Amino acid sequence: MMEHAWRNYKLYAWGKNELRPLSQRPHSGSIFGSYDLGATIVDGLDTLYIMGLENEYREGRDWIERKFTLDNISAELSVFETNIRFVGGMLTLYAFTGDPLYKEKAQHVADKLLPAFQTPTGIPYALVNTKSGVAKNYGWASGGSSILSEFGTLHLEFAYLSDITGNPLYRERVQTIRQVLKEIEKPKGLYPNFLNPKTGKWGQLHMSLGALGDSYYEYLLKAWLQSGQTDEEAREMYDEAMVAIMDKMVRTSPNGLTYVSDLKFDRLEHKMDHLACFSGGLFALGAATRQNEHRDKYMEVGKGITNTCHESYIRAPTQLGPEAFRFSDAVEARALRSQEKYYILRPETFESYFVLWRLTHDQKYRDWGWEAVLALEKHCRTPHGYCGLRNVYQQEPQKDDVQQSFFLAETLKYLYLLFSDDSVLPLDEWVFNTEAHPLPIKGANQYYRQAPVTLPVSNAS
């Protein structure tokens, strides 16, 4: 599957961000626009490396060396997406290979993002212009707010970048964000999705473990894991947040399906995003890595959410899950609105299958993954790559003509690892960023490659 996706990207969209398999041309409407940033290359390269596809890996590395740069392009880039895909991808490749090219490129990209952090609170803006350094937030986001899942999903990459470059600046930037979030008052212990970077005050009281919230919680647990479990503050913040979420947002449907609902102004929506399906793995990983009073409940919720996400898949004729699904007396784990019925090759459900398989070795997680592989082959494979579906509830759904870079970075990587031995990227040595780029765990992984700290040179003799 990976070879098919890569070969067609190379044939029809090489150096562009993503492929449109039906049109056999580049996808100019991607989140990175029509600039030649090679998003599919940078995002997919570590997957090629893990799979031992050496020729394809070399093609990608050569392109990065010859062509990849953010200099001289005036692009408005998402700080979050650029960090998780480009910085994250380069950092993993540096850990895997020790090739200094990747460290230089990771730092090059991160440096282009730094102007976004120049706010009164240190909470970064969402968008930054790579040429001018001018940064701003999305017009739609609650009165000029920054988004929790975006500014809260920089920690792993920036902390690791500081460790491999010896430059403390990157870690300082994310530590500032951490302190703001630690000290701010949380309504009922929950984090709203919007925070104003000028005032440091919350925007609308929307909470979610799906879109706009999701990966912030993931990075609390994973920052603690990445630090060799020394960043105790991160683990404490994770536990406090998850306990509040279990109390206020996790519910069980009439027929016993565990789900995590969005919350708007104290009202449960009884809707769950496909994006929140990663949280099965997040709860389970929280349970497996510390024996505390929450452990059994975390594991129960993690297994329950993973099962519910599987149900959202098998209740669709395509056996692939919708973008969001609802729970009521009439319906369970099913999308009701047309704009929620699409599937864009997302990985989150398979991510949870992978984590749960590694932690429990219950065969059903591999069986569920194999069902999904067959469904992808049947409905999403085309002669020139893989596409998402417009409606998972149709027998012969229309395809959306986009091969997402995360299909190569995440979806195929998690499915491959689900069927690999535990010794391939063991979870006690590697922690996956939210784009499935594995980063080494400090003190447990020989590939951490820590650099000596370089302090600023002073004039004092």
Side-chain angles (χ1 to χ4, degrees), residues 360-410:
T360 68
H361 291 123
D362 185 332
Q363 178 62 30
K364 73 181 178 190
Y365 297 113
R366 281 186 163 175
D367 296 343
W368 294 354
W370 190 247
E371 287 171 7
V373 168
L374 297 178
L376 287 167
E377 289 298 277
K378 181 174 178 184
H379 295 290
C380 300
R381 187 183 179 112
T382 74
H384 304 289
Y386 289 85
C387 301
L389 307 177
R390 296 198 191 276
N391 184 346
V392 297
Y393 298 107
Q394 291 172 339
Q395 297 289 347
E396 300 289 329
Q398 234 188 331
K399 296 180 174 69
D400 70 2
D401 199 18
V402 179
Q403 181 173 280
Q404 304 277 352
S405 81
F406 58 67
F407 181 68
L408 294 84
E410 303 185 71

Short mmCIF file of all heavy atoms in Angstrom, two decimals, residues 360-410:
data_model
loop_
_atom_site.label_atom_id
_atom_site.label_comp_id
_atom_site.label_asym_id
_atom_site.label_seq_id
_atom_site.Cartn_x
_atom_site.Cartn_y
_atom_site.Cartn_z
N THR A 360 -2.04 -5.00 25.28
CA THR A 360 -2.86 -6.14 25.73
C THR A 360 -2.60 -7.43 24.98
O THR A 360 -2.90 -8.52 25.47
CB THR A 360 -4.36 -5.84 25.56
OG1 THR A 360 -4.67 -5.78 24.16
CG2 THR A 360 -4.75 -4.52 26.23
N HIS A 361 -2.09 -7.33 23.75
CA HIS A 361 -1.95 -8.48 22.85
C HIS A 361 -3.27 -9.25 22.68
O HIS A 361 -3.27 -10.47 22.49
CB HIS A 361 -0.82 -9.40 23.29
CG HIS A 361 0.53 -8.77 23.10
ND1 HIS A 361 1.43 -8.59 24.11
CD2 HIS A 361 1.08 -8.19 22.01
CE1 HIS A 361 2.50 -7.96 23.64
NE2 HIS A 361 2.31 -7.70 22.36
N ASP A 362 -4.35 -8.52 22.72
CA ASP A 362 -5.66 -9.11 22.42
C ASP A 362 -5.82 -9.16 20.89
O ASP A 362 -5.78 -8.12 20.23
CB ASP A 362 -6.77 -8.26 23.06
CG ASP A 362 -8.15 -8.87 22.89
OD1 ASP A 362 -8.39 -9.59 21.90
OD2 ASP A 362 -9.01 -8.59 23.74
N GLN A 363 -5.99 -10.34 20.36
CA GLN A 363 -6.00 -10.57 18.91
C GLN A 363 -7.04 -9.71 18.18
O GLN A 363 -6.87 -9.39 17.01
CB GLN A 363 -6.27 -12.06 18.64
CG GLN A 363 -6.37 -12.44 17.16
CD GLN A 363 -5.10 -12.19 16.37
OE1 GLN A 363 -3.99 -12.25 16.91
NE2 GLN A 363 -5.24 -11.89 15.07
N LYS A 364 -8.11 -9.32 18.88
CA LYS A 364 -9.18 -8.59 18.19
C LYS A 364 -8.68 -7.29 17.57
O LYS A 364 -9.19 -6.86 16.54
CB LYS A 364 -10.36 -8.32 19.11
CG LYS A 364 -10.14 -7.25 20.17
CD LYS A 364 -11.37 -7.08 21.04
CE LYS A 364 -11.13 -6.06 22.14
NZ LYS A 364 -12.22 -6.05 23.13
N TYR A 365 -7.65 -6.67 18.18
CA TYR A 365 -7.17 -5.40 17.64
C TYR A 365 -6.51 -5.59 16.28
O TYR A 365 -6.64 -4.75 15.39
CB TYR A 365 -6.23 -4.70 18.64
CG TYR A 365 -6.95 -4.33 19.91
CD1 TYR A 365 -6.64 -4.94 21.12
CD2 TYR A 365 -7.98 -3.40 19.88
CE1 TYR A 365 -7.33 -4.61 22.29
CE2 TYR A 365 -8.67 -3.06 21.05
CZ TYR A 365 -8.35 -3.68 22.24
OH TYR A 365 -9.04 -3.37 23.39
N ARG A 366 -5.80 -6.74 16.11
CA ARG A 366 -5.24 -7.05 14.79
C ARG A 366 -6.37 -7.40 13.81
O ARG A 366 -6.31 -7.00 12.64
CB ARG A 366 -4.24 -8.19 14.89
CG ARG A 366 -2.89 -7.73 15.40
CD ARG A 366 -1.84 -8.84 15.37
NE ARG A 366 -0.50 -8.26 15.49
CZ ARG A 366 0.62 -8.99 15.59
NH1 ARG A 366 0.57 -10.32 15.58
NH2 ARG A 366 1.79 -8.39 15.67
N ASP A 367 -7.36 -8.11 14.29
CA ASP A 367 -8.49 -8.46 13.41
C ASP A 367 -9.19 -7.19 12.92
O ASP A 367 -9.52 -7.06 11.73
CB ASP A 367 -9.50 -9.35 14.15
CG ASP A 367 -8.90 -10.70 14.54
OD1 ASP A 367 -7.85 -11.08 13.98
OD2 ASP A 367 -9.48 -11.38 15.42
N TRP A 368 -9.41 -6.27 13.83
CA TRP A 368 -10.06 -5.00 13.47
C TRP A 368 -9.22 -4.21 12.47
O TRP A 368 -9.74 -3.61 11.53
CB TRP A 368 -10.32 -4.16 14.72
CG TRP A 368 -11.32 -4.75 15.66
CD1 TRP A 368 -12.09 -5.88 15.47
CD2 TRP A 368 -11.67 -4.24 16.96
NE1 TRP A 368 -12.88 -6.10 16.57
CE2 TRP A 368 -12.66 -5.11 17.50
CE3 TRP A 368 -11.26 -3.15 17.72
CZ2 TRP A 368 -13.22 -4.91 18.76
CZ3 TRP A 368 -11.82 -2.95 18.97
CH2 TRP A 368 -12.80 -3.82 19.49
N GLY A 369 -7.91 -4.22 12.68
CA GLY A 369 -7.01 -3.53 11.76
C GLY A 369 -7.06 -4.16 10.37
O GLY A 369 -7.05 -3.46 9.36
N TRP A 370 -7.14 -5.49 10.34
CA TRP A 370 -7.17 -6.17 9.04
C TRP A 370 -8.48 -5.88 8.30
O TRP A 370 -8.49 -5.67 7.08
CB TRP A 370 -6.94 -7.67 9.19
CG TRP A 370 -6.73 -8.32 7.86
CD1 TRP A 370 -7.53 -9.20 7.22
CD2 TRP A 370 -5.62 -8.07 6.97
NE1 TRP A 370 -7.00 -9.53 5.99
CE2 TRP A 370 -5.83 -8.85 5.81
CE3 TRP A 370 -4.48 -7.26 7.04
CZ2 TRP A 370 -4.94 -8.85 4.73
CZ3 TRP A 370 -3.60 -7.26 5.96
CH2 TRP A 370 -3.84 -8.04 4.82
N GLU A 371 -9.59 -5.83 9.03
CA GLU A 371 -10.87 -5.41 8.42
C GLU A 371 -10.70 -4.06 7.73
O GLU A 371 -11.19 -3.84 6.62
CB GLU A 371 -11.95 -5.19 9.50
CG GLU A 371 -12.54 -6.40 10.16
CD GLU A 371 -13.43 -6.01 11.37
OE1 GLU A 371 -13.68 -4.80 11.60
OE2 GLU A 371 -13.86 -6.93 12.08
N ALA A 372 -10.01 -3.15 8.42
CA ALA A 372 -9.83 -1.79 7.89
C ALA A 372 -8.95 -1.80 6.65
O ALA A 372 -9.22 -1.09 5.67
CB ALA A 372 -9.24 -0.89 8.96
N VAL A 373 -7.90 -2.62 6.66
CA VAL A 373 -7.03 -2.72 5.49
C VAL A 373 -7.85 -3.17 4.27
O VAL A 373 -7.74 -2.59 3.18
CB VAL A 373 -5.87 -3.72 5.75
CG1 VAL A 373 -5.14 -4.06 4.46
CG2 VAL A 373 -4.89 -3.13 6.77
N LEU A 374 -8.68 -4.18 4.47
CA LEU A 374 -9.50 -4.68 3.36
C LEU A 374 -10.47 -3.61 2.87
O LEU A 374 -10.70 -3.46 1.66
CB LEU A 374 -10.27 -5.94 3.78
CG LEU A 374 -9.39 -7.14 4.17
CD1 LEU A 374 -10.27 -8.32 4.61
CD2 LEU A 374 -8.49 -7.56 3.01
N ALA A 375 -11.03 -2.84 3.80
CA ALA A 375 -11.96 -1.76 3.42
C ALA A 375 -11.23 -0.65 2.65
O ALA A 375 -11.76 -0.12 1.66
CB ALA A 375 -12.63 -1.19 4.66
N LEU A 376 -10.03 -0.31 3.09
CA LEU A 376 -9.23 0.69 2.38
C LEU A 376 -8.92 0.22 0.96
O LEU A 376 -9.02 0.98 0.00
CB LEU A 376 -7.92 0.97 3.14
CG LEU A 376 -8.03 1.78 4.43
CD1 LEU A 376 -6.71 1.69 5.22
CD2 LEU A 376 -8.36 3.25 4.14
N GLU A 377 -8.55 -1.04 0.85
CA GLU A 377 -8.23 -1.59 -0.47
C GLU A 377 -9.46 -1.60 -1.37
O GLU A 377 -9.38 -1.30 -2.56
CB GLU A 377 -7.68 -3.02 -0.33
CG GLU A 377 -6.29 -3.08 0.25
CD GLU A 377 -5.26 -2.38 -0.61
OE1 GLU A 377 -4.75 -2.97 -1.58
OE2 GLU A 377 -4.94 -1.21 -0.32
N LYS A 378 -10.59 -1.92 -0.79
CA LYS A 378 -11.81 -2.03 -1.59
C LYS A 378 -12.34 -0.66 -2.03
O LYS A 378 -12.73 -0.48 -3.18
CB LYS A 378 -12.89 -2.76 -0.79
CG LYS A 378 -14.19 -2.94 -1.56
CD LYS A 378 -15.20 -3.79 -0.79
CE LYS A 378 -16.50 -3.89 -1.59
NZ LYS A 378 -17.53 -4.62 -0.82
N HIS A 379 -12.34 0.30 -1.11
CA HIS A 379 -13.04 1.56 -1.38
C HIS A 379 -12.13 2.74 -1.67
O HIS A 379 -12.55 3.69 -2.34
CB HIS A 379 -13.97 1.91 -0.22
CG HIS A 379 -15.08 0.94 -0.04
ND1 HIS A 379 -16.13 0.83 -0.93
CD2 HIS A 379 -15.31 0.00 0.93
CE1 HIS A 379 -16.96 -0.12 -0.51
NE2 HIS A 379 -16.48 -0.63 0.60
N CYS A 380 -10.90 2.75 -1.13
CA CYS A 380 -10.06 3.93 -1.22
C CYS A 380 -8.92 3.80 -2.22
O CYS A 380 -8.38 4.81 -2.68
CB CYS A 380 -9.47 4.26 0.16
SG CYS A 380 -10.75 4.58 1.39
N ARG A 381 -8.55 2.58 -2.57
CA ARG A 381 -7.48 2.39 -3.54
C ARG A 381 -7.98 2.70 -4.95
O ARG A 381 -9.08 2.29 -5.32
CB ARG A 381 -6.95 0.96 -3.49
CG ARG A 381 -5.71 0.73 -4.35
CD ARG A 381 -5.27 -0.72 -4.30
NE ARG A 381 -4.10 -0.95 -5.14
CZ ARG A 381 -2.90 -1.27 -4.66
NH1 ARG A 381 -2.70 -1.36 -3.36
NH2 ARG A 381 -1.88 -1.48 -5.49
N THR A 382 -7.17 3.42 -5.70
CA THR A 382 -7.47 3.67 -7.11
C THR A 382 -6.21 3.30 -7.89
O THR A 382 -5.17 3.04 -7.28
CB THR A 382 -7.79 5.17 -7.35
OG1 THR A 382 -6.55 5.91 -7.29
CG2 THR A 382 -8.77 5.72 -6.32
N PRO A 383 -6.28 3.27 -9.21
CA PRO A 383 -5.07 2.92 -9.97
C PRO A 383 -3.89 3.86 -9.70
O PRO A 383 -2.74 3.49 -9.93
CB PRO A 383 -5.53 3.03 -11.42
CG PRO A 383 -7.01 2.78 -11.38
CD PRO A 383 -7.47 3.39 -10.08
N HIS A 384 -4.16 5.07 -9.20
CA HIS A 384 -3.09 6.05 -9.04
C HIS A 384 -2.98 6.61 -7.62
O HIS A 384 -2.69 7.79 -7.43
CB HIS A 384 -3.28 7.19 -10.05
CG HIS A 384 -3.37 6.71 -11.46
ND1 HIS A 384 -2.29 6.21 -12.15
CD2 HIS A 384 -4.43 6.60 -12.30
CE1 HIS A 384 -2.66 5.83 -13.36
NE2 HIS A 384 -3.96 6.05 -13.48
N GLY A 385 -3.23 5.77 -6.63
CA GLY A 385 -3.10 6.22 -5.24
C GLY A 385 -4.37 5.97 -4.45
O GLY A 385 -5.29 5.28 -4.91
N TYR A 386 -4.42 6.54 -3.24
CA TYR A 386 -5.56 6.34 -2.34
C TYR A 386 -6.32 7.63 -2.14
O TYR A 386 -5.72 8.70 -2.00
CB TYR A 386 -5.07 5.81 -0.98
CG TYR A 386 -4.57 4.39 -1.05
CD1 TYR A 386 -3.26 4.11 -1.44
CD2 TYR A 386 -5.41 3.32 -0.75
CE1 TYR A 386 -2.80 2.80 -1.52
CE2 TYR A 386 -4.96 2.01 -0.83
CZ TYR A 386 -3.65 1.75 -1.22
OH TYR A 386 -3.21 0.47 -1.31
N CYS A 387 -7.66 7.53 -2.09
CA CYS A 387 -8.52 8.69 -1.88
C CYS A 387 -9.42 8.48 -0.67
O CYS A 387 -9.76 7.34 -0.34
CB CYS A 387 -9.48 8.89 -3.05
SG CYS A 387 -8.70 9.12 -4.63
N GLY A 388 -9.87 9.58 -0.09
CA GLY A 388 -10.91 9.52 0.92
C GLY A 388 -12.28 9.33 0.26
O GLY A 388 -12.41 9.34 -0.97
N LEU A 389 -13.30 9.15 1.12
CA LEU A 389 -14.67 8.90 0.66
C LEU A 389 -15.59 10.03 1.11
O LEU A 389 -15.45 10.54 2.22
CB LEU A 389 -15.19 7.58 1.25
CG LEU A 389 -14.31 6.35 1.03
CD1 LEU A 389 -14.93 5.14 1.73
CD2 LEU A 389 -14.10 6.08 -0.46
N ARG A 390 -16.55 10.37 0.28
CA ARG A 390 -17.48 11.45 0.62
C ARG A 390 -18.60 11.00 1.55
O ARG A 390 -19.15 11.81 2.29
CB ARG A 390 -18.07 12.07 -0.64
CG ARG A 390 -17.02 12.75 -1.51
CD ARG A 390 -17.66 13.72 -2.48
NE ARG A 390 -16.71 14.17 -3.48
CZ ARG A 390 -15.85 15.18 -3.30
NH1 ARG A 390 -15.83 15.83 -2.17
NH2 ARG A 390 -15.01 15.53 -4.27
N ASN A 391 -18.94 9.71 1.50
CA ASN A 391 -20.03 9.22 2.36
C ASN A 391 -19.83 7.75 2.64
O ASN A 391 -20.04 6.90 1.77
CB ASN A 391 -21.38 9.46 1.68
CG ASN A 391 -22.56 9.07 2.56
OD1 ASN A 391 -22.38 8.38 3.56
ND2 ASN A 391 -23.75 9.50 2.19
N VAL A 392 -19.46 7.44 3.89
CA VAL A 392 -19.14 6.05 4.24
C VAL A 392 -20.38 5.16 4.29
O VAL A 392 -20.26 3.94 4.39
CB VAL A 392 -18.39 5.96 5.59
CG1 VAL A 392 -17.05 6.67 5.51
CG2 VAL A 392 -19.23 6.52 6.74
N TYR A 393 -21.57 5.79 4.22
CA TYR A 393 -22.80 5.01 4.33
C TYR A 393 -23.37 4.58 2.97
O TYR A 393 -24.41 3.96 2.91
CB TYR A 393 -23.85 5.80 5.12
CG TYR A 393 -23.37 6.06 6.54
CD1 TYR A 393 -22.96 7.32 6.94
CD2 TYR A 393 -23.29 5.02 7.46
CE1 TYR A 393 -22.49 7.55 8.22
CE2 TYR A 393 -22.82 5.23 8.75
CZ TYR A 393 -22.42 6.51 9.13
OH TYR A 393 -21.95 6.72 10.39
N GLN A 394 -22.66 4.91 1.90
CA GLN A 394 -23.10 4.44 0.58
C GLN A 394 -22.33 3.18 0.19
O GLN A 394 -21.17 3.02 0.56
CB GLN A 394 -22.89 5.54 -0.47
CG GLN A 394 -23.85 6.70 -0.26
CD GLN A 394 -23.54 7.88 -1.17
OE1 GLN A 394 -22.43 8.02 -1.67
NE2 GLN A 394 -24.52 8.75 -1.36
N GLN A 395 -23.00 2.30 -0.56
CA GLN A 395 -22.34 1.06 -0.99
C GLN A 395 -21.17 1.36 -1.93
O GLN A 395 -20.13 0.72 -1.86
CB GLN A 395 -23.36 0.15 -1.71
CG GLN A 395 -24.52 -0.32 -0.84
CD GLN A 395 -24.09 -1.33 0.21
OE1 GLN A 395 -22.99 -1.88 0.17
NE2 GLN A 395 -24.99 -1.59 1.17
N GLU A 396 -21.38 2.32 -2.83
CA GLU A 396 -20.33 2.72 -3.78
C GLU A 396 -20.06 4.22 -3.63
O GLU A 396 -20.50 5.01 -4.45
CB GLU A 396 -20.78 2.42 -5.22
CG GLU A 396 -21.09 0.95 -5.49
CD GLU A 396 -19.82 0.10 -5.51
OE1 GLU A 396 -18.74 0.63 -5.89
OE2 GLU A 396 -19.90 -1.08 -5.13
N PRO A 397 -19.35 4.59 -2.58
CA PRO A 397 -19.21 6.03 -2.30
C PRO A 397 -18.33 6.74 -3.32
O PRO A 397 -17.45 6.14 -3.94
CB PRO A 397 -18.55 6.05 -0.91
CG PRO A 397 -17.90 4.73 -0.77
CD PRO A 397 -18.67 3.76 -1.59
N GLN A 398 -18.61 8.02 -3.49
CA GLN A 398 -17.77 8.89 -4.31
C GLN A 398 -16.43 9.11 -3.61
O GLN A 398 -16.39 9.25 -2.39
CB GLN A 398 -18.48 10.24 -4.43
CG GLN A 398 -18.69 10.71 -5.84
CD GLN A 398 -19.22 12.15 -5.81
OE1 GLN A 398 -19.88 12.58 -4.87
NE2 GLN A 398 -18.91 12.89 -6.85
N LYS A 399 -15.36 9.17 -4.38
CA LYS A 399 -14.04 9.43 -3.79
C LYS A 399 -13.75 10.93 -3.80
O LYS A 399 -14.27 11.67 -4.63
CB LYS A 399 -12.98 8.67 -4.58
CG LYS A 399 -13.17 7.15 -4.48
CD LYS A 399 -12.12 6.40 -5.25
CE LYS A 399 -12.23 4.89 -5.02
NZ LYS A 399 -13.44 4.33 -5.63
N ASP A 400 -12.90 11.37 -2.87
CA ASP A 400 -12.67 12.82 -2.74
C ASP A 400 -11.45 13.32 -3.51
O ASP A 400 -11.17 14.52 -3.53
CB ASP A 400 -12.56 13.22 -1.27
CG ASP A 400 -11.27 12.70 -0.61
OD1 ASP A 400 -10.44 12.06 -1.29
OD2 ASP A 400 -11.09 12.95 0.60
N ASP A 401 -10.70 12.42 -4.13
CA ASP A 401 -9.55 12.80 -4.97
C ASP A 401 -8.43 13.48 -4.21
O ASP A 401 -7.75 14.37 -4.75
CB ASP A 401 -10.03 13.68 -6.14
CG ASP A 401 -9.01 13.72 -7.29
OD1 ASP A 401 -8.14 12.84 -7.33
OD2 ASP A 401 -9.10 14.64 -8.13
N VAL A 402 -8.19 13.08 -2.95
CA VAL A 402 -7.02 13.59 -2.21
C VAL A 402 -6.32 12.44 -1.50
O VAL A 402 -6.96 11.69 -0.76
CB VAL A 402 -7.40 14.67 -1.17
CG1 VAL A 402 -6.14 15.15 -0.42
CG2 VAL A 402 -8.11 15.84 -1.82
N GLN A 403 -5.02 12.32 -1.73
CA GLN A 403 -4.19 11.40 -0.95
C GLN A 403 -3.45 12.23 0.10
O GLN A 403 -2.46 12.90 -0.19
CB GLN A 403 -3.20 10.65 -1.85
CG GLN A 403 -2.31 9.67 -1.10
CD GLN A 403 -1.47 8.83 -2.04
OE1 GLN A 403 -1.93 7.86 -2.62
NE2 GLN A 403 -0.20 9.20 -2.20
N GLN A 404 -4.00 12.24 1.30
CA GLN A 404 -3.47 13.06 2.39
C GLN A 404 -2.04 12.63 2.76
O GLN A 404 -1.74 11.44 2.80
CB GLN A 404 -4.34 12.91 3.64
CG GLN A 404 -5.81 13.21 3.43
CD GLN A 404 -6.12 14.70 3.52
OE1 GLN A 404 -5.27 15.50 3.89
NE2 GLN A 404 -7.35 15.05 3.17
N SER A 405 -1.20 13.61 3.10
CA SER A 405 0.16 13.23 3.52
C SER A 405 0.12 12.37 4.78
O SER A 405 0.96 11.48 4.96
CB SER A 405 1.05 14.47 3.73
OG SER A 405 0.87 15.08 4.99
N PHE A 406 -0.89 12.59 5.63
CA PHE A 406 -0.94 11.78 6.86
C PHE A 406 -1.34 10.32 6.59
O PHE A 406 -1.16 9.48 7.46
CB PHE A 406 -1.82 12.41 7.95
CG PHE A 406 -3.26 12.67 7.57
CD1 PHE A 406 -4.15 11.64 7.32
CD2 PHE A 406 -3.73 13.98 7.50
CE1 PHE A 406 -5.48 11.88 7.00
CE2 PHE A 406 -5.06 14.24 7.18
CZ PHE A 406 -5.94 13.17 6.93
N PHE A 407 -1.84 10.04 5.40
CA PHE A 407 -2.10 8.64 5.06
C PHE A 407 -0.79 7.85 5.04
O PHE A 407 -0.72 6.72 5.52
CB PHE A 407 -2.82 8.54 3.71
CG PHE A 407 -3.15 7.13 3.30
CD1 PHE A 407 -4.09 6.39 4.00
CD2 PHE A 407 -2.52 6.55 2.20
CE1 PHE A 407 -4.39 5.07 3.62
CE2 PHE A 407 -2.82 5.24 1.82
CZ PHE A 407 -3.75 4.51 2.53
N LEU A 408 0.26 8.47 4.51
CA LEU A 408 1.57 7.82 4.49
C LEU A 408 2.28 7.93 5.84
O LEU A 408 2.96 7.00 6.27
CB LEU A 408 2.46 8.42 3.39
CG LEU A 408 2.01 8.18 1.95
CD1 LEU A 408 0.98 9.22 1.50
CD2 LEU A 408 3.21 8.23 0.99
N ALA A 409 2.13 9.09 6.49
CA ALA A 409 2.83 9.32 7.76
C ALA A 409 2.24 8.49 8.89
O ALA A 409 2.97 7.93 9.71
CB ALA A 409 2.77 10.79 8.13
N GLU A 410 0.90 8.42 8.95
CA GLU A 410 0.23 7.86 10.12
C GLU A 410 -0.55 6.58 9.82
O GLU A 410 -0.35 5.55 10.45
CB GLU A 410 -0.75 8.87 10.70
CG GLU A 410 -0.13 10.20 11.10
CD GLU A 410 -1.16 11.08 11.79
OE1 GLU A 410 -1.53 10.77 12.94
OE2 GLU A 410 -1.60 12.08 11.19
#
